[in-house]
Amino acid sequence: MEDPLGRHYIIELYDCSHTVLDDMKTVRDTLMEAARIAGATIIGEKFHRFSPQGVSGVIVIAESHLSIHTWPELGYAALDLFTCSMDMDIRGALGLLRSSFAPGDIDVHYMERGVLNATKRRAPELLDFAPAVV
Amino acid sequence: MEDPLGRHYIIELYDCSHTVLDDMKTVRDTLMEAARIAGATIIGEKFHRFSPQGVSGVIVIAESHLSIHTWPELGYAALDLFTCSMDMDIRGALGLLRSSFAPGDIDVHYMERGVLNATKRRAPELLDFAPAVV
């Protein structure tokens, strides 16, 4: 089986601290540190704090990106780590993210992106499926 | 069933034009137009062209984000559209993305993010599962 071009970790963080999820500096510093631990090359970043609460942020790395969107009032954050490198310390980065956000509950989905030799693919027509589920 | 906090469209674009996927302006303009059609509020953006080829870019929107990573040499792009708004024109945005990138093959995964009343969740310990699949 051919390696995928990208590895995408889709992480649901539940029951986190309101204070942590609403502090843009803490959220940014945590993602930047996770990128550093992973060995990523940081290309750019954009973080934003919403009023009355919530933080969104993305770090573009040479290996793809990290993103986060937080709902402090619900203790929830949607975290994505996408890498096209096979040489990053994903374990270390996920460990830092876990310890920093200290979720009471977590769910991690792993998705391979860009599997070019996939034997089964949807037809272009099935893009129409996507809007149908909105 | 409670609405999810976020709707995440994970889109695999195959057999695209090398020229399109390697042109940062075209890629950026396409994602910005998709965001506009969707009715998104654009907060910030970061696009980068790699040498010798390839483009990565993210648009942070008030409703979450759009991201893309392209492999022109393989005709492949990994596209993500994440929204926490129930009022965006996702159909229109996906239609624009499809017509602009004109993939020969496409796969769209839809994931609900932040389903707070989920009856089944993994235990925090299972975060260790994620590194195991690296």
Side-chain angles (χ1 to χ4, degrees), chain A residues 4-10 31-32 34-36 38-47 57-68 80-88 90 110-114, chain B residues 11-12 31 45-50 53-60 65-73 76-80:
Chain A
L5 294 175
R7 295 181 153 96
H8 192 169
Y9 297 86
I10 298 169
L31 263 67
M32 293 292 275
R36 189 193 65 75
T41 300
I42 296 171
I43 289 175
E45 55 160 308
K46 178 65 182 181
F47 283 80
V58 175
I59 302 174
V60 178
I61 58 178
E63 301 81 6
S64 292
H65 74 266
L66 290 82
S67 69
I68 190 166
D80 287 64
L81 170 56
F82 187 146
T83 175
C84 62
S85 169
M86 306 296 117
D87 303 322
M88 295 177 75
I90 300 297
Y110 171 72
M111 182 172 292
E112 297 188 331
R113 304 293 299 268
Chain B
I11 305 169
E12 306 282 83
L31 262 66
E45 55 161 306
K46 177 66 182 181
F47 285 81
H48 178 78
R49 185 179 181 282
F50 296 94
Q53 58 194 353
V55 173
S56 278
V58 175
I59 302 174
V60 178
H65 74 265
L66 290 82
S67 69
I68 190 165
H69 305 287
T70 77
W71 281 256
E73 70 280 19
Y76 168 76
L79 181 63
D80 287 64

Side-chain angles (χ1 to χ4, degrees), chain B residues 88-102:
Chain B
M88 295 177 76
D89 181 4
I90 300 297
R91 181 185 297 271
L94 292 178
L96 180 280
L97 291 165
R98 177 185 179 181
S99 61
S100 299
F101 290 113

Side-chain angles (χ1 to χ4, degrees), chain A residues 4-57:
Chain A
L5 294 175
R7 295 181 153 96
H8 192 169
Y9 297 86
I10 298 169
I11 306 169
E12 305 282 83
L13 301 173
Y14 299 99
D15 305 329
C16 299
S17 154
H18 183 292
T19 302
V20 169
L21 295 188
D22 204 28
D23 182 338
M24 189 175 80
K25 182 180 187 306
T26 297
V27 170
R28 177 190 175 279
D29 290 351
T30 299
L31 263 67
M32 293 292 275
E33 178 65 7
R36 189 193 65 75
I37 289 174
T41 300
I42 296 171
I43 289 175
E45 55 160 308
K46 178 65 182 181
F47 283 80
H48 178 77
R49 185 180 182 281
F50 295 95
S51 179
Q53 59 193 352
V55 173
S56 278

